[in-house]
Amino acid sequence: MGNLLVETILDVTHYTGTLFSFKTTRSPAFRFESGQFTMIGLEVDGRPLLRAYSMASAIYDDNLEFFSIKVADGPLTSRLQHIRPGDEILIGPKPTGTLVNGYLRPGRRLLLLATGTGFAPFSSLLRDPETYERYDTIVMAVGCRTVDELAFANSVVGAIENHELLGELATGKLHYYPTVTREAFRNTGRVSDLVASGKLFADLGLAPLDLETDRVMICGNPGLITDVSALLGARGFEEGSSGSPADFVIEKAFVQR
C-alpha cells in the first residue's frame, strides 16, 4: 500500500442507521493540526480505496477517531460501516486542510458552524486548549435532520465539559447550539438561517455577528457552505488561507465531493 499507514480498528459506535464513529491505533509518526483531514480507507481488490476524513480526535490522543456517514452504495462507506475491532484500516500520512486556527486573523469570538459529519474537525478543535486560549467566546452550532443524529456531537461536548482540564477552559467560553430541521426540539432550523436572522445569537444571549470580533469556520453540506459564505462576504468578511489569514475559512475538500 505504498506509504500508507496501516492501523487497527479499536472501537466502533453506531449512532443511527446512517452515522457512526470509530477509533483506531495511531502511529507515533502521524502528526496533525486540530481541524485537519487525511485520506483513509480500505484495501479493495488489492488496491487502496480512499476518501478524505477529518480527524475528530485531539492532537494529543494516543488513538485516532473519525466520524462517518453510511451510504448504501458508497464505494467506501458501504464497506467501512461494517468494520469491527481488530480490522485494519489505511491512513494517509500527510494531513492537510484549512480549518485550522492559524488560517484566521486574531479575534475575540470563534463561530464553528457545522452540519452532520461536518462536526468532525470541530470535535478536534474543541478538544485543543489552544482554541480556548485564542478566543473569549466559542460558539459551536451544529445542525442535523433529527435529534438522534446529534448524538456524536452531544457526547463530544459533554466529555469536554466534564474533562478535568478542558472543562475548566470551556466554562463560560463554550456555547453549544444543536439544532434540527425535521423534528420538534429546543432549537429548530437551518444553521445558515439561524445565523442570518440573528436568532442563534439571541438564543444564546450573545451579541450579533460582528466583523471586528468574529472569526468563522464552516464545514458541512454545500448549502451551508454557500449560504454562510455569501452572508459573510456581504458583511465584509474575507476568506482565509495558509498564505493569507483572514476572517473565515471553509473546508473545500468536502464541498467538492
Side-chain angles (χ1 to χ4, degrees):
M1 293 296 115
N3 63 348
L4 294 171
L5 302 171
V6 180
E7 303 292 355
T8 302
I9 301 296
L10 299 175
D11 180 70
V12 183
T13 302
H14 295 271
Y15 300 99
T16 71
T18 58
L19 295 171
F20 70 109
S21 68
F22 56 95
K23 293 181 180 179
T24 78
T25 54
R26 176 180 179 178
S27 167
F30 186 80
R31 295 285 183 268
F32 67 95
E33 290 185 62
S34 301
Q36 288 186 319
F37 70 88
T38 195
M39 304 301 291
I40 74 168
L42 301 170
E43 181 181 346
V44 178
D45 297 328
R47 302 182 64 180
L49 176 62
L50 306 172
R51 293 291 185 271
Y53 272 76
S54 297
M55 277 67 71
S57 44
I59 54 174
Y60 47 78
D61 284 341
D62 293 332
N63 53 54
L64 296 173
E65 185 173 22
F66 300 94
F67 183 37
S68 179
I69 193 171
K70 305 176 188 178
V71 181
D73 58 352
L76 178 61
T77 58
S78 62
R79 296 173 169 88
L80 197 62
Q81 64 183 294
H82 300 299
I83 56 173
R84 297 181 178 182
D87 289 347
E88 291 185 340
I89 191 165
L90 305 174
I91 296 182
K94 298 181 179 180
T96 187
T98 53
L99 301 176
V100 295
N101 280 315
Y103 286 16
L104 294 174
R105 296 180 181 127
R108 294 196 294 276
R109 183 168 69 176
L110 177 64
L111 307 180
L112 304 175
L113 309 179
T115 55
T117 55
F119 174 79
F122 301 144
S123 169
S124 183
L125 281 157
L126 290 172
R127 296 192 239 203
D128 190 338
E130 180 188 356
T131 303
Y132 300 94
E133 294 167 1
R134 282 176 172 259
Y135 297 95
D136 298 329
T137 303
I138 299 161
V139 176
M140 178 66 252
V142 56
C144 292
R145 296 170 302 175
T146 59
V147 175
D148 60 356
E149 292 179 344
L150 293 167
F152 180 72
N154 291 342
S155 67
V156 169
V157 173
I160 289 169
E161 292 173 340
N162 291 306
H163 190 275
E164 183 177 6
L165 171 62
L166 293 175
E168 184 175 342
L169 293 174
T171 299
K173 286 193 173 188
L174 177 57
H175 299 264
Y176 178 48
Y177 192 96
T179 179
V180 302
T181 57
R182 298 187 183 180
E183 289 183 345
F185 187 58
R186 65 178 184 273
N187 303 316
T188 58
R190 298 165 67 234
V191 171
S192 54
D193 292 339
L194 294 164
V195 172
S197 67
K199 189 175 189 303
L200 169 67
F201 306 100
D203 286 350
L204 293 172
L206 299 174
L209 187 66
D210 186 343
L211 175 59
E212 293 302 312
T213 62
D214 292 340
R215 301 297 174 257
V216 188
M217 294 186 179
I218 315 162
C219 190
N221 63 50
L224 174 74
I225 302 289
T226 300
D227 293 348
V228 177
S229 295
L231 168 66
L232 294 175
R235 299 197 183 189
F237 286 72
E238 297 179 354
E239 185 177 351
S241 64
S242 59
S244 181
D247 309 307
F248 76 97
V249 288
I250 66 174
E251 187 45 77
K252 296 181 176 67
F254 305 109
V255 177
Q256 295 169 351
R257 288 176 59 193

